[in-house]
Amino acid sequence: MQKQENHSQAAILGLQHLLAMYSGSILVPIMIAGALGYNAHQLTYLISTDIFMCGVATFLQLQLNKYFGIGLPVVLGVAFQSVAPLSMIGASHGSGAMFGALIVSGIYVVLVSGFFSKIANLFPSIVTGSVITTIGLTLIPVAIGNMGNNAAEPTVQSLFLAVITILIILVVNIYTTGFIKSISILIGLIVGTAIAASMGLVDFTPVDQAPILHVPTPFFFGAPKFEITSIVMMCIIATVSMVESTGVYLALSDITKDPIDSTRLRNGYRAEGLAVLLGGIFNTFPYTGFSQNVGLVKLSGIKTRLPIYYAAGFLVLLGLLPKFGALAQIIPSPVLGGAMLVMFGFVSIQGMQILARVDFEHNEHNFLIAAVSIAAGVGLNNSTLFNGLPSAFKMFFANGIVVASVLAIILNAILNHNKK
């Protein structure tokens, strides 16, 4: 009986973990599909397969063997830092180059996992904080565009829906605690969509047209293409994801009192690399440890992996049912934009919190690293400054997250080379 109760409790906790990461997981495919002009059928595939692969990636990371898996209660979701570069690659070179770059970057992560586990200390808080702050700040304009329905002259209805969604999320955050607070973004999306439906602004056609069952298909968008600039860009993004995941692993290790060494870090990176590789093959996206689920582990007090196994199982099951994926498509753009604004604000503040732990008082070089990398990342994102350069250089330098990552890593290596 006790075992049955434990499994029932674990299943409920697993469902909570799914809900906490669901809004973040569906936003990435919606944003990339919107940027690349995918149709409803393609977007349904993208969302459903993405949810399915989140489950598979989480299963891989939960393992505790000598080859792969960090063996901690970690949930993997789509990396937000992949949105801008993948959209740019897809627009410049097509979907094949996008997924080809992902396949190579997954192999890259697997190959460098052992080396990276020994040099993780070369990416201190000044680097991770600068990069995560830039990720949030560069994505905020996308949220603003959606709030106005991406129209030249946004309607009053669009602004109303965006503002009401933001207010709902704020009210949930202010007046609730615990798990309900952790899913405030999801609640905002659901209530905002319900209000839009009452105004006759929701189209349920994608749900009606979606099949009842589907199986993820390798190379759904066609054969992969291997374009060198795209590959370099995604390998940089993969490195940023590894740095971010390191923080998640260390936080979970501290919460669960389960110490990890360089071998387990290596196996964690390997699992992440395998997940990215599979994402490229099945035409989804790169995966990384979700920090919002770390808070849920701390909140629940349950430090075993069993609830996360349930969460992974639920993700796989939902991913096989396209009508659930199609539900995400009925969210009106202004509602999505309102939720994005808050979520990307959270990401920016998360980066700033990391920077708050940096020693600026005794090391003025850290000021330079953060100032230059963040300013260049935000300022050069989608800039026309490099339009006169060849397309490969233009695509690289117009990606704020890549620019901020490269600058933060190089400047830290040069200016702080003699610091411990």
Side-chain angles (χ1 to χ4, degrees):
M1 179 64 74
Q2 182 64 39
K3 188 175 181 181
Q4 182 65 39
E5 286 176 358
N6 288 344
H7 275 275
S8 300
Q9 184 185 30
I12 294 168
L13 289 168
L15 184 61
Q16 288 186 349
H17 276 284
L18 182 149
L19 292 172
M21 58 85 71
Y22 191 76
S23 55
S25 292
I26 63 172
L27 280 178
V28 173
I30 290 172
M31 290 167 70
I32 293 176
L36 300 181
Y38 286 171
N39 60 36
H41 171 66
Q42 290 171 319
L43 180 52
T44 297
Y45 172 86
L46 210 56
I47 295 170
S48 299
T49 307
D50 178 53
I51 295 167
F52 178 88
M53 290 306 301
C54 282
V56 172
T58 301
F59 270 127
L60 288 172
Q61 198 60 281
L62 286 169
Q63 306 309 308
L64 188 57
N65 58 52
K66 63 181 181 177
Y67 299 111
F68 62 87
I70 195 71
L72 291 169
V74 58
V75 175
L76 270 72
V78 192
F80 272 118
Q81 54 264 37
S82 68
V83 173
L86 286 177
S87 299
M88 199 173 286
I89 292 167
S92 300
H93 301 288
S95 297
M98 191 165 72
F99 297 117
L102 277 179
I103 288 170
V104 177
S105 68
I107 295 170
Y108 157 80
V109 172
V110 173
L111 292 177
V112 303
S113 57
F115 172 71
F116 198 86
S117 67
K118 294 178 173 62
I119 63 154
N121 63 329
L122 292 181
F123 301 93
S125 296
I126 186 62
V127 173
T128 55
S130 299
V131 171
I132 293 171
T133 302
T134 306
I135 290 167
L137 294 177
T138 54
L139 289 175
I140 286 172
V142 179
I144 300 295
N146 276 282
M147 287 171 68
N149 211 16
N150 294 302
E153 295 184 10
T155 63
V156 174
Q157 279 182 328
S158 295
L159 296 176
F160 168 76
L161 284 174
V163 171
I164 201 73
T165 303
I166 293 169
L167 287 175
I168 291 162
I169 295 169
L170 289 175
V171 167
V172 173
N173 268 281
I174 293 167
Y175 293 106
T176 65
T177 57
F179 170 67
I180 299 298
K181 185 175 180 178
S182 76
I183 61 165
S184 60
I185 301 287
L186 186 64
I187 292 171
L189 288 170
I190 293 170
V191 178
T193 301
I195 292 170
S198 71
M199 298 165 64
L201 299 175
V202 174
D203 180 10
F204 290 92
T205 306
V207 181
D208 294 334
Q209 292 180 346
I212 295 172
L213 187 72
H214 98 132
V215 177
T217 309
F219 310 120
F220 178 84
F221 288 92
K225 297 176 184 174
F226 302 100
E227 196 274 323
I228 186 63
T229 313
S230 306
I231 290 169
V232 171
M233 191 180 291
M234 290 317 299
C235 285
I236 292 171
I237 294 297
T239 305
V240 172
S241 294
M242 290 166 77
V243 173
E244 188 179 355
S245 291
T246 305
V248 171
Y249 302 155
L250 294 175
L252 284 170
S253 172
D254 183 59
I255 292 168
T256 59
K257 308 301 179 193
D258 182 7
I260 53 175
D261 55 14
S262 62
T263 301
R264 282 181 69 178
L265 271 179
R266 179 203 67 192
N267 291 350
Y269 300 141
R270 275 185 187 170
E272 194 167 303
L274 288 172
V276 175
L277 173 60
L278 290 172
I281 291 171
F282 287 94
N283 291 175
T284 59
F285 307 111
Y287 299 94
T288 189
F290 256 31
S291 55
Q292 53 262 55
N293 290 85
V294 175
L296 205 50
V297 170
K298 191 171 184 178
L299 181 74
S300 67
I302 306 296
K303 299 169 182 177
T304 68
R305 288 172 286 161
L306 186 59
I308 313 301
Y309 272 109
Y310 274 102
F314 292 146
L315 284 165
V316 168
L317 181 62
L318 283 182
L320 295 173
L321 306 172
K323 288 193 183 293
F324 280 96
L327 276 173
Q329 291 188 55
I330 70 173
I331 304 170
S333 288
V335 173
L336 203 60
M340 282 178 181
L341 184 75
V342 181
M343 179 169 278
F344 298 149
F346 282 161
V347 174
S348 302
I349 297 301
Q350 183 185 2
M352 293 175 194
Q353 284 181 321
I354 295 171
L355 287 175
R357 300 196 293 267
V358 173
D359 180 12
F360 290 106
E361 185 179 349
H362 299 101
N363 184 0
E364 62 183 23
H365 290 162
N366 285 332
F367 272 115
L368 288 172
I369 296 166
V372 173
S373 58
I374 294 172
V378 174
L380 294 176
N381 194 57
N382 294 323
S383 168
T384 58
L385 187 63
F386 299 102
N387 279 1
L389 296 178
S391 59
F393 288 98
K394 183 173 68 176
M395 187 172 74
F396 189 90
F397 287 112
N399 188 305
I401 297 168
V402 171
V403 169
S405 303
V406 172
L407 278 175
I409 291 168
I410 292 174
L411 288 174
N412 178 67
I414 294 170
L415 298 177
N416 287 336
H417 70 279
N418 60 343
K419 303 288 181 185
K420 184 176 178 181

